[in-house]
Amino acid sequence: QVQLVESGGGLVQAGGSLRLSCVASGRTFSSYAMGWFRQAPGKEREFVAAISWSGTSTYYADSVKGRFTISRENAKNTLYLQMNSLKPEDTAVYYCARRTGPYYSGPYYPGDEYDYWGQGTQVTVSS
C-alpha cells in the first residue's frame, strides 16, 4: 500500500509563489511516474503536470506551462510542484498521484491512469 501526503498549500496573493510537496511511503516511489492534479469548487478534477520515474521528462497542462515546475527527489521519496506567478484561477485543492505502470517515461496524457492519490492541499490565490 502506498500513502501520499501533500503539504505546502496556503493563501497567497496573485503573482506570488508556493511550493507543494508530496511525500510517499514505501520503497517504490522511484519506480513510478507521478502527477499533480487540482480541483476547484464546482469543477472537475484537472491534470496539472507529470514527471517520469527518473525525473528526466516532464509534461504540463497549457494553463500552467511556464509558471509551474514539477520535480522529484527519489532519495527522499518526495515530489514537488513549484508554482510561480499564481493567478486567482489557480485556486483549487491540489493532489499528487502515482501513475500506473513502473518505469514509464512518457508520453503523458491528461487521461492517463493513476492508482494512488493523496488527500490534497488547499491553494487559495487572492486577487
Side-chain angles (χ1 to χ4, degrees):
Q1 189 75 3
V2 175
Q3 289 187 326
L4 303 174
V5 180
E6 302 97 335
S7 63
L11 174 64
V12 64
Q13 289 189 333
S17 298
L18 282 174
R19 188 175 82 155
L20 305 184
S21 298
C22 168
V23 178
S25 65
R27 299 181 179 181
T28 62
F29 176 79
S30 61
S31 303
Y32 286 83
M34 298 290 294
W36 285 100
F37 293 76
R38 66 187 182 186
Q39 186 167 21
K43 295 187 177 182
E44 292 188 354
R45 185 175 61 201
E46 65 172 345
F47 170 83
V48 174
I51 187 168
S52 63
W53 62 275
S54 62
T56 56
S57 63
T58 57
Y59 178 77
Y60 298 91
D62 287 343
S63 58
V64 306
K65 200 173 296 182
R67 299 188 298 122
F68 290 11
T69 302
I70 187 172
S71 62
R72 64 191 299 162
E73 283 191 75
N74 285 342
K76 294 184 178 181
N77 273 20
T78 304
L79 175 73
Y80 302 101
L81 185 68
Q82 177 67 44
M83 305 185 296
N84 298 330
S85 302
L86 282 162
K87 305 175 181 179
E89 51 263 44
D90 294 319
T91 294
V93 178
Y94 283 72
Y95 300 90
C96 65
R98 192 185 82 167
R99 192 191 181 283
T100 57
Y103 301 111
Y104 184 78
S105 297
Y108 302 98
Y109 302 96
D112 286 350
E113 185 177 352
Y114 289 77
D115 53 5
Y116 290 98
W117 295 79
Q119 83 291 345
T121 185
Q122 176 70 47
V123 172
T124 303
V125 184
S126 63
S127 56

